[in-house]
Amino acid sequence: MEKSRLYRIIFESDTPTGKTYDIVLIIAIFLSIIVAFIESIRSLALTYKHILEVVEAFMTVLFTVDYLARLYCSPKPREYALSFFGIIDFISTIPPYLAIVFPSARYMLLLRSFRFIRIFRVFKLFSFLNEGHLLLQSLRRSLNKILVYFMFVLILVTCMGTLMYLAEGNEPNTSFTDLGTSVYYAIVTMTTVGYGDITPVTPIGRLLSAFVMLLGYTIIAIPTGIVTATFVDETKKKVEHNECPRCGGKVEDYDRYCSHCGEKL
């Protein structure tokens, strides 16, 4: 088969053949992930051992051929191999071969779920790329603020854990046996998780715990507020363009990706 025709089938979903190929590949990814989950259940893995081995062998060959075909028909194989999708395709293909030496590596097959990102291309969901881009940019711009906030919370739970250890550490049969356990309790309480595996028994300890619980409610929403404020700023950035340079489709002034073909603007 000619490289150009193979390229259209594998890399483009505008044609019926290309779309069918991508849908079959997505079904194969889904089936492969189901097999990985079944293999983690020992009773089912033993019962259906041979069937699972045959299915996994078939999937391994399929994904290997797919990856090699992409390298073969790509105009710039090196560029594809180092691209986001190229890396995802590689790490979703290599686990069965690593499992020959490291048996536990077979559960890395779950990395194949990342290939579901191709569903955007198959079903023309490119309009979501702009929202995804805005969210990613907001997270990047908020990173420094969130890191500062994280350091503040880390210091806070360390202080609260120390106070809890001072209040509870000398009690008989206490759960607060050391500072590490006390800090762990402060983290679980402040994040409102509350496993209940460690509980205070002294009045001072309970009072501190109540304070930590209330404090957790007041500070847990701060990262969301930081990202939201940055997200609003990102949506106000205007990029001047009228149409997509690739497909010629009409795009909005605030779009970073074409909602018709997914081209970066």
Side-chain angles (χ1 to χ4, degrees), residues 33-197:
I33 293 173
I34 291 177
V35 169
F37 273 100
I38 293 176
E39 286 182 339
S40 67
I41 305 173
R42 293 186 177 181
S43 58
L44 294 178
L46 291 174
T47 304
Y48 302 102
K49 179 179 179 181
H50 298 297
I51 296 176
L52 294 174
E53 288 177 349
V54 171
V55 173
E56 183 52 44
F58 175 76
M59 293 299 168
T60 300
V61 172
L62 176 64
F63 290 120
T64 302
V65 171
D66 172 72
Y67 180 70
L68 294 176
R70 291 176 186 276
L71 286 175
Y72 169 74
C73 68
S74 177
K76 298 179 180 179
R78 179 182 175 84
E79 185 176 321
Y80 159 71
L82 297 177
S83 67
F84 173 76
F85 279 114
I87 295 173
I88 292 297
D89 292 342
F90 176 76
I91 63 177
S92 64
T93 303
I94 202 66
Y97 301 105
L98 291 177
I100 298 175
V101 181
F102 306 104
S104 59
R106 67 185 301 103
Y107 294 109
M108 290 176 61
L109 292 173
L110 296 178
L111 293 172
R112 288 177 179 171
S113 60
F114 283 103
R115 301 187 74 173
F116 278 121
I117 297 174
R118 296 185 188 278
I119 200 171
F120 282 88
R121 182 166 66 104
V122 178
F123 297 106
K124 300 298 184 183
L125 302 178
F126 293 119
S127 58
F128 291 100
L129 289 177
N130 290 303
E131 285 73 13
H133 173 79
L134 287 173
L135 180 59
L136 184 60
Q137 287 297 105
S138 300
L139 290 173
R140 285 176 178 172
R141 289 187 55 195
S142 304
L143 183 60
N144 290 337
K145 296 177 183 178
I146 292 176
L147 287 176
V148 172
Y149 167 80
F150 177 78
M151 290 298 298
F152 169 76
V153 172
L154 187 62
I155 294 171
L156 188 59
V157 295
T158 302
C159 293
M160 296 307 301
T162 302
L163 291 175
M164 289 299 299
Y165 179 69
L166 293 175
E168 299 281 334
N170 294 323
E171 294 298 313
N173 300 320
T174 181
S175 300
F176 297 83
T177 55
D178 52 73
L179 280 174
T181 302
S182 301
V183 171
Y184 159 77
Y185 169 80
I187 294 173
V188 171
T189 305
M190 186 172 291
T191 55
T192 70
V193 175
Y195 289 124
D197 54 340

Side-chain angles (χ1 to χ4, degrees), residues 195-206:
Y195 289 124
D197 54 340
I198 302 174
T199 54
V201 294
T202 65
I204 296 178
R206 291 175 177 174

Side-chain angles (χ1 to χ4, degrees), residues 2-59:
E2 296 180 358
K3 282 188 178 182
S4 58
R5 184 182 176 188
L6 187 62
Y7 178 87
R8 286 194 297 271
I9 294 174
I10 294 178
F11 285 95
E12 298 179 3
S13 60
D14 296 332
T15 63
T17 308
K19 186 173 183 178
T20 301
Y21 179 84
D22 279 342
I23 292 176
V24 169
L25 194 61
I26 289 172
I27 294 174
I29 294 168
F30 186 70
L31 181 60
S32 177
I33 293 173
I34 291 177
V35 169
F37 273 100
I38 293 176
E39 286 182 339
S40 67
I41 305 173
R42 293 186 177 181
S43 58
L44 294 178
L46 291 174
T47 304
Y48 302 102
K49 179 179 179 181
H50 298 297
I51 296 176
L52 294 174
E53 288 177 349
V54 171
V55 173
E56 183 52 44
F58 175 76
M59 293 299 168

